[in-house]
Amino acid sequence: MSTAPTESFQVRLTASRPPRHKRAIVFCCDQNYLAFASHAAAQIASLVEKPAFDICICYGQQAVVLPESLAGLGIRLCHIDVGDVFDGLRLDKGKTHDVYLRIALPTAFAGEYDKILYLGSDIFIRGGDFNALLDIDVAPHCIASVRDNVQWRTPNRQNKRNTIKGIVPSAYFNAGIMLMDVHAYTEQELMRRCIEFGRARRQDLKRHDQNLYNAVLQDDWAEISPVWNWQYSWSTRLFAVFAYPNIIHFIGPAKPWKDQSGQFEPRFADSFARFIRTHFPDSKQVETGGRRLAPDSMKMTKMLIKHLISARKIARFLSRFPDELTVHR
């Protein structure tokens, strides 16, 4: 067990095995989302022939148990005990302080990893050079991420759910995928700053640590290509055919494994279902209605019109990233 202090904050890490590399791809989840995090981990493991990184699945208050059938992936299970560090931060009904666990990752892994790629569990991996992504220099920033999709078409647009009273509007990133420089993160005391801000502005926060990060950093982050976090919505999904993103991120409450209306491409649910049948046979987490979105449906019509209207703006946004490793600092 290792203990990493940040002033009055203390984070304890207990891992299933020692680290093998100086970099890591990290998921944070409970048992409910373990199947989906494992699915993404398996996709990455099959994609990267010679990984220069560990794959970690982290949990907080709610422990996870990985099936023996996935032992070959070499996943490092990590319990992160934050004690009362997150006390005083806002919680949605039914949530625990584990929703803030990613804030503690660099502190927990300080001394083990120098780079962490945090990935949410609600994603689908299509490709990408993850070794090269972890090589990106984000200095002088401590985080590199992808702009939130509300700003893809209109860079200055502020979503009401992202806005905090008294905070100057700025470029806003989606925290579902983040590349973290561990040394810079701990040196700049980002965990402490986020917690102190979150406690002081508890009533104003709406998106947990995503709001915290953006309010505290205020443009002090590096922007990477949206192919690493293609935020899959009705206004962007058709453009994905041509952008061919490496990571598809199912933002919002609708997920392809709970798709009764048929709004997602069937291949997503099929992939999750095959994986879960093999490794989590007692789970019934994939429940779809078997419906398909009709080409002449009103929803498809609205989607096509939205894509037509926003095509030039999306093209302008994508042109800022001539390759998948372009970084704007």
Side-chain angles (χ1 to χ4, degrees):
M1 177 182 291
S2 61
T3 301
T6 43
E7 294 191 5
S8 60
F9 301 133
Q10 205 171 60
V11 176
R12 293 180 175 86
L13 167 70
T14 305
S16 60
R17 63 166 177 81
R20 294 172 183 161
H21 301 279
K22 292 296 293 179
R23 293 169 182 182
I25 292 177
V26 177
F27 299 86
C28 295
C29 69
D30 58 15
Q31 193 68 29
N32 292 326
Y33 259 68
L34 179 63
F36 308 117
S38 301
H39 178 269
Q43 288 181 313
I44 294 170
S46 67
L47 181 69
V48 184
E49 186 176 348
K50 294 181 179 179
F53 52 83
D54 292 333
I55 298 179
C56 303
I57 292 181
C58 298
Y59 61 92
Q61 298 175 34
Q62 302 176 34
V64 300
V65 179
L66 203 63
E68 284 295 324
S69 59
L70 293 174
L73 294 180
I75 291 173
R76 190 181 185 214
L77 281 182
C78 301
H79 175 219
I80 299 179
D81 180 5
V82 297
D84 60 359
V85 166
F86 295 147
D87 285 1
L89 298 181
R90 190 191 70 84
L91 285 177
D92 288 337
K93 185 178 180 180
K95 299 293 185 180
T96 72
H97 282 115
D98 283 356
V99 297
Y100 292 101
L101 200 59
R102 54 189 161 179
I103 289 179
L105 293 178
T107 302
F109 289 115
E112 292 191 350
Y113 299 129
D114 55 27
K115 287 275 189 66
I116 292 171
L117 176 62
Y118 166 80
L119 299 179
S121 302
D122 53 347
I123 61 173
F124 192 93
I125 308 295
R126 293 178 60 173
D129 188 339
F130 284 87
N131 283 331
L133 178 61
L134 280 158
D135 274 341
I136 286 178
D137 181 9
V138 304
H141 310 289
C142 56
I143 284 179
S145 194
V146 175
R147 189 179 290 260
D148 197 66
N149 75 335
V150 300
Q151 294 187 344
W152 288 13
R153 292 172 296 278
T154 310
N156 296 322
R157 181 184 174 191
Q158 300 297 316
N159 188 316
K160 290 182 180 179
R161 290 189 63 196
N162 299 342
T163 305
I164 300 176
K165 186 178 180 180
I167 300 297
V168 177
S170 62
Y172 188 96
F173 67 85
N174 182 283
I177 284 87
M178 293 184 291
L179 180 60
M180 302 170 166
D181 184 302
V182 174
H183 176 72
Y185 193 107
T186 53
E187 187 178 59
Q188 297 174 27
E189 298 186 279
L190 187 54
M191 176 179 162
R192 176 190 61 76
R193 292 160 58 198
C194 285
I195 292 171
E196 290 180 353
F197 183 93
R199 287 173 177 169
R201 302 296 300 271
R202 173 178 177 148
Q203 301 305 318
D204 299 324
L205 296 176
K206 301 169 186 175
R207 287 190 171 178
H208 297 120
D209 55 345
Q210 180 167 295
N211 268 26
L212 282 180
Y213 274 131
N214 280 280
V216 171
L217 288 173
Q218 280 288 287
D219 286 328
D220 185 11
W221 55 279
E223 186 179 1
I224 57 176
S225 171
V227 300
W228 295 108
N229 184 357
W230 192 270
Q231 295 149 54
Y232 201 73
S233 71
W234 74 284
S235 62
T236 62
R237 65 183 58 182
L238 301 183
F239 293 128
V241 175
F242 303 99
Y244 205 80
N246 296 326
I247 301 175
I248 291 176
H249 180 193
F250 304 111
I251 58 173
K255 307 297 180 186
W257 52 83
K258 295 286 185 185
D259 185 19
Q260 297 296 326
S261 63
Q263 63 176 296
F264 291 96
E265 298 171 47
R267 63 191 176 97
F268 297 132
D270 290 346
S271 181
F272 288 122
R274 286 194 302 271
F275 183 83
I276 289 174
R277 278 197 303 269
T278 301
H279 303 290
F280 300 85
D282 296 329
S283 171
K284 301 188 183 302
Q285 288 180 283
V286 179
E287 298 178 5
T288 61
R291 297 174 60 187
R292 302 284 178 91
L293 189 63
D296 60 348
S297 65
M298 181 60 69
K299 192 163 191 173
M300 179 63 80
T301 301
K302 289 181 178 180
M303 195 184 307
L304 290 170
I305 293 172
K306 180 68 172 179
H307 281 68
L308 179 63
I309 292 172
S310 61
R312 287 189 178 180
K313 292 181 178 179
I314 290 291
R316 188 180 308 121
F317 173 64
L318 294 178
S319 70
R320 298 178 58 233
F321 304 93
D323 63 65
E324 67 179 30
L325 298 177
T326 299
V327 183
H328 291 286
R329 298 181 181 84

